[in-house]
Amino acid sequence: MGTLFTGISQLVTPAPGPQRGAAMRELTVLEDAALLVRDGLIAWVGPSRDAPSAPQGHDLGGVAVVPGLIDPHTHAVWAGDRLADFEARVEGVSYEEMLARGGGIRSTIRATAAASVEELVRLARPRLEALARSGATTVEVKSGYGLDFDAEVRMLEAVRELQAEFALVPTLLIHVPPVRGRKDYVQGVINSLIPRAAEQKNHSLWSVPHSGGELFPKFTPPLAKAVDVFCEKEAFSVEESRRILMAAREHGLGVKLHADQFHALGGVDLACELGALSVDHLEASGPAQIAALADSPTVATVLPGVTLHLGLPAAPARALIDAGACVAVGTDLNPGSSPLFSAGLALALAVRLCGLTPAEALTAGTVNAAAALGLRDRGALAPGQRADFLALHSSDWRELVYTLGAPPVRDVFVAGERLPL
Ligand code: NIG
Ligand code: FE
């Protein structure tokens, strides 16, 4: 049973589970390796001379193999575009100023709230295909451009449809308050939207054709796995974020925060206090926030695409790792602050802009990104993990974070099957 992959010049992996501080640099590098996949899981890894026999073989031709990348932060479902914003920003109008004037995120909300689920699926599919080609084998996707609750739910339904084609983790994002009635909006999020996103449906028993009439319960998972809040001057306060995220926890959902993008308002402390899966952005974080994250299991997710696109200071990822924090990297793919369609390029930018070493970047984009999504079954090439892995064009794995502009990833395998990209 199974397929033995050979022709691996280097098999490179962090250890399974979240890695923090100096452990982020501790990769295993096996030269001339082999990898056995059985039932979509990794069954064995080791030097090719010790490889077990298997009914099927796949020679990768002497290239490096790394775990599939995990993109723990995207807003891949949107309608409309922000090309005029981009031009205005280049001419000197700031991102925050645009948002305050009712443009920016609010213009994407107007376009997205007007789109049907089918349209949202059609628009998001090529973005997710681009991420997959770049090496992303699991991708988080947030709502947040709906504002009204039905439109938020339509975004999550679009993600649910796309789950038939991609490994996606859906997050309900409470992004910006309405211009009027923010108190009622927050109350509605707590009383109505979060319960809708958290609802699991146990339908009445149904029978499977050809099963001899046996009855099985049909189970529909919740629309979102976690709730995220944009905690910022132009968005939600720390107190509003706390109320929303407490409600999320009461409904059994994970919690996440967009915090310290422009101002360190206290979102990082809130994330640590609530045991958030991750707190993301951190461009404005300073010593107090770094110390808090060094002492917390909450993953610090940095988004270097935003640094590049908005010209913001880079998040202090170097200092976070040196202090002992668990750092992940995401694309933050979205039309306003990070039109970055490559998980590999996000890691390459994290090396250049945030001072990560190549080894730290690989850990940040695999096991630590998995931890930011509450997943432990992927991100490392070790027995029992999902067989999600990448064959590069090169025999040296460091090309993954070195190469800019040309794709360093040749083949993407999900559960041991090569994607037809
Ligand atoms: O993660 N900062 C808030 N939210 C997104 C941007 C969304 C947008 O500009 O459309 C972010 O950067
Ligand atoms: Fe974001």
Side-chain angles (χ1 to χ4, degrees):
M1 278 276 283
T3 303
L4 185 68
F5 290 85
T6 56
I8 301 174
S9 57
Q10 294 178 329
L11 184 144
V12 183
T13 183
Q19 306 296 324
R20 48 196 315 131
M24 285 183 64
R25 292 190 285 281
E26 286 167 21
L27 300 181
T28 297
V29 181
L30 287 177
E31 309 277 340
D32 188 12
L35 171 72
L36 179 66
V37 174
R38 200 180 288 138
D39 298 329
L41 299 180
I42 296 172
W44 181 91
V45 285
S48 60
R49 63 176 179 278
D50 299 338
S53 58
Q56 289 183 57
H58 188 139
D59 184 350
L60 293 169
V63 297
V65 164
V66 297
L69 305 181
I70 292 165
D71 190 345
H73 185 137
T74 83
H75 308 248
V77 175
W78 77 81
D81 69 60
R82 300 269 281 283
L83 297 169
D85 277 22
F86 175 51
E87 250 181 349
R89 265 200 320 94
V90 171
E91 284 162 17
V93 187
S94 81
Y95 179 86
E96 281 181 288
E97 215 173 309
M98 248 173 297
L99 182 53
R101 288 182 194 168
I105 297 174
R106 293 190 194 279
S107 72
T108 302
I109 286 174
R110 287 190 285 274
T112 307
S116 65
V117 175
E118 292 66 38
E119 244 172 302
L120 295 174
V121 166
R122 185 178 55 73
L123 290 166
R125 184 179 288 115
R127 299 169 191 151
L128 295 170
E129 283 167 352
L131 287 175
R133 266 196 302 279
S134 80
T137 49
T138 297
V139 173
E140 187 250 19
V141 186
K142 300 176 195 296
S143 70
Y145 293 129
L147 198 59
D148 87 60
F149 297 164
D150 288 340
E152 284 299 324
V153 167
R154 277 200 297 283
M155 289 188 74
L156 293 171
E157 283 171 350
V159 178
R160 175 173 280 173
E161 279 200 25
L162 288 158
Q163 280 177 313
E165 300 166 56
F166 306 93
L168 305 178
V169 179
T171 299
L172 170 67
L173 170 62
I174 307 305
H175 207 169
V176 288
V179 181
R180 273 174 296 279
R182 68 187 286 154
K183 213 166 154 215
D184 289 348
Y185 184 78
V186 169
Q187 207 51 51
V189 166
I190 292 168
N191 294 343
S192 153
L193 183 56
I194 288 176
R196 260 173 98 178
E199 192 187 359
Q200 311 185 8
K201 291 194 182 115
N202 279 310
H203 305 279
S204 54
L205 294 179
W206 63 307
S207 81
V208 179
H210 316 298
S211 69
E214 261 177 275
L215 293 176
F216 295 91
K218 186 168 186 288
F219 169 76
T220 310
L223 276 169
K225 209 181 150 188
V227 177
D228 189 345
V229 180
F230 183 21
C231 180
E232 187 52 65
K233 276 192 183 164
E234 293 301 331
F236 293 96
S237 69
V238 173
E239 265 327 298
E240 288 166 332
S241 304
R242 183 196 307 277
R243 291 186 56 220
I244 293 168
L245 294 176
M246 300 265 278
R249 278 205 321 199
E250 277 161 28
H251 282 85
L253 298 177
V255 306
K256 298 169 91 70
L257 271 157
H258 278 65
D260 292 11
Q261 184 178 5
F262 299 100
H263 305 94
L265 300 182
V268 169
D269 284 339
L270 177 63
C272 296
E273 173 197 322
L274 295 178
L277 290 166
S278 72
V279 57
D280 305 30
H281 274 288
L282 309 175
E283 292 88 342
S285 295
Q289 291 76 34
I290 293 167
L293 285 163
D295 206 28
S296 160
T298 293
V299 176
T301 300
V302 300
L303 308 164
V306 179
T307 298
L308 181 68
H309 189 67
L310 294 189
L312 291 184
R318 177 75 267 138
L320 281 161
I321 295 173
D322 290 343
C326 177
V327 171
V329 171
T331 61
D332 197 10
L333 169 61
N334 77 76
S337 72
S338 183
L340 175 58
F341 293 78
S342 167
L345 192 50
L347 301 187
L349 292 177
V351 171
R352 270 68 166 201
L353 302 176
C354 306
L356 268 63
T357 67
E360 289 166 345
L362 186 67
T363 302
T366 54
V367 283
N368 286 4
L373 300 179
L375 301 171
R376 281 181 167 264
D377 63 341
R378 63 196 76 187
L381 301 175
Q385 292 265 295
R386 268 170 65 112
D388 296 349
F389 58 94
L390 313 177
L392 305 186
H393 280 291
S394 162
S395 58
D396 189 318
W397 77 272
R398 292 171 297 185
E399 291 276 354
L400 177 69
V401 294
Y402 168 79
T403 305
L404 301 173
V409 175
R410 190 190 70 189
D411 302 318
V412 179
F413 292 87
V414 171
E417 299 292 330
R418 188 157 67 88
L419 296 184
L421 295 169

